[in-house]
């Protein structure tokens, strides 16, 4: 081996190892996820570019749609004076309390409806009837009993959260495969083991679907209840900006609401993945 070959051999080995490490990171599943993410970002980025060009060209009056730079300056100002943190924290606290109450009630009621035919026959039809009526239609009646303070907001958010969780939990338990139940009977599973090893794993996808829908309902309902007799929160910030004809405040609030809602959905999907650890990345059971 010549001197030049000796010197270039380590470099070639390092390049080969680098390509192998990159190939190991870019697995087919991760490549598909990256493509999906890029495609998902292409539309909002295209809208942002069109918005920026339209504002610079003067195609849209500032009273109708402020420029992106104005939105950014308003966001920085709210962040600097601390008001954005106050409003965001107030909204998150309301969602946390309302979602926790609604999820707890929804899981218990849904599990009872799915496991007990008698309970389902008596109590499940009224829930389906109530689910057909928008929760906001009950707000004037609830305000007579609860007032217009935080309790009303908690109850409305919990109500909108519980409905999809009840439906998803009851549907998931009811649709457990009979063959799996027969398998548990063949192994002489006790009730506790049957629920833990068969019913719960089989119904988890439907339960988490209900939880995601409940969380989405909670976040959407939050904005609406904050429009009603509220003095803090992202929904209130939107109303305040509209009353002052400062649309940048409205748009900043909308962006924060959308980003937080997306992050909450991502966190819940991550928890769902942890709860269904027996599944692989492509969704096949091990």
């Amino acid at each position: 081996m010549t001197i030049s070959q000796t010197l270039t051999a380590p470099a070639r080995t390092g390049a080969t190892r680098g390509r192998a490490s990159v190939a190991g990171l870019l697995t087919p599943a991760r490549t598909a996820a990256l493509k999906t993410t890029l495609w998902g970002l292409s539309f909002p980025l295209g809208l942002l570019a069109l918005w920026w060009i339209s504002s610079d060209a003067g195609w849209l009056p500032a009273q109708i749609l402020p420029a992106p730079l104005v939105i950014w300056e308003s966001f920085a100002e709210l962040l600097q004076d601390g008001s954005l943190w106050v409003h965001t924290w107030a909204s998150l606290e309301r969602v946390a309390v309302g979602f926790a109450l609604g999820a707890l009630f929804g899981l218990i009621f849904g599990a009872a409806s799915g496991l007990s035919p008698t309970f389902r026959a008596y109590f499940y039809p009224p829930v389906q009837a109530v689910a057909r009526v928008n929760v906001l239609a009950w707000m004037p009646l609830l305000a007579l009993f609860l007032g217009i303070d935080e309790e009303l907001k908690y109850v409305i958010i919990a109500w909108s959260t519980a409905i999809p969780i009840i439906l998803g939990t009851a549907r998931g338990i009811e649709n457990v495969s009979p063959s799996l139940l027969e398998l548990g009977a063949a192994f002489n599973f006790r009730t506790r083991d049957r629920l833990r090893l068969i019913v719960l794993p089989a119904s988890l996808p439907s339960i988490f679907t209900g939880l995601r829908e409940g969380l989405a309902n909670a976040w959407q309902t939050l904005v609406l209840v904050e429009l009603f007799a509220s003095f803090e929160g992202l929904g209130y910030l939107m109303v305040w900006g509209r009353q002052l004809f400062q649309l940048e405040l409205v748009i900043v609030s909308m962006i924060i609401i959308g980003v937080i809602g997306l992050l909450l959905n991502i966190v819940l999907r991550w928890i769902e993945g942890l709860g269904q650890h027996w599944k692989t990345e492509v969704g096949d059971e091990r």
Side-chain angles (χ1 to χ4, degrees):
M1 180 180 293
T2 63
I3 297 177
S4 61
Q5 291 175 336
T6 303
L7 293 176
T8 57
R12 292 177 181 175
T13 303
T16 302
R17 291 177 179 176
R19 287 193 296 269
S21 61
V22 171
L25 291 175
L26 295 178
T27 60
R30 292 176 179 175
T31 303
L34 180 61
K35 290 181 179 179
T36 302
T37 302
L38 293 178
W39 276 111
L41 291 175
S42 61
F43 183 71
L45 290 178
L47 286 180
L48 178 61
L50 181 61
W51 179 15
W52 199 295
I53 295 173
S54 301
S55 300
D56 288 342
W59 296 342
L60 289 175
Q63 295 81 3
I64 297 178
L65 187 62
L69 184 59
V70 176
I71 304 299
W72 174 255
E73 292 175 351
S74 179
F75 171 77
E77 182 180 352
L78 291 172
L79 197 64
Q80 185 176 6
D81 62 19
S83 58
L84 184 61
W85 295 110
V86 173
H87 292 298
T88 302
W89 180 256
S91 296
L92 287 174
E93 183 179 6
R94 288 166 180 155
V95 166
V97 175
F99 178 77
L101 295 175
L104 179 62
F105 177 79
L107 290 173
I108 295 175
F109 193 98
S113 300
L115 295 173
S116 174
T118 303
F119 186 92
R120 182 182 182 89
Y122 279 102
F123 298 104
Y124 194 69
V127 171
Q128 290 182 315
V130 170
R132 301 298 185 271
V133 181
N134 192 293
V135 65
L136 297 179
W138 299 93
M139 185 180 295
L141 180 61
L142 292 174
L144 295 177
F145 297 95
L146 301 175
I148 58 175
D149 293 331
E150 294 298 312
E151 291 78 8
L152 176 65
K153 300 175 179 60
Y154 294 152
V155 170
I156 292 295
I157 295 173
W159 190 326
S160 63
T161 298
I163 296 299
I165 295 177
I166 291 173
L167 299 178
T169 304
R171 187 183 305 113
I173 295 176
E174 183 184 11
N175 293 335
V176 174
S177 175
S179 60
L180 293 178
L181 298 177
E182 293 176 0
L183 181 63
F187 281 98
N188 293 323
F189 280 173
R190 294 176 295 179
T191 302
R192 182 182 61 183
D193 295 331
R194 179 170 58 86
L195 294 177
R196 180 174 60 89
L197 299 176
I198 296 178
V199 175
L200 180 60
S203 59
L204 268 183
S206 182
I207 292 175
F208 271 103
T209 299
L211 287 172
R212 288 200 304 271
E213 293 179 2
L215 182 59
N217 286 355
W219 194 242
Q220 294 170 5
T221 306
L222 165 76
V223 179
L224 297 176
V225 298
E226 286 183 341
L227 302 179
F228 181 74
S230 180
F231 299 99
E232 59 181 358
L234 295 173
Y236 167 76
L237 188 61
M238 292 177 61
V239 176
W240 180 251
R242 180 181 60 82
Q243 292 176 347
L244 297 178
F245 295 98
Q246 296 181 359
L247 295 182
E248 60 271 16
L249 294 179
V250 178
I251 296 177
V252 168
S253 303
M254 292 172 58
I255 294 174
I256 297 298
I257 290 170
V259 171
I260 293 178
L262 178 61
L263 292 177
L264 290 176
N265 184 66
I266 292 175
V267 171
L268 195 55
R269 284 187 175 275
W270 176 72
I271 296 175
E272 179 180 2
L274 294 179
Q276 302 180 70
H277 57 82
W278 61 87
K279 291 188 175 181
T280 62
E281 292 182 357
V282 295
D284 297 329
E285 295 185 0
R286 291 174 181 169

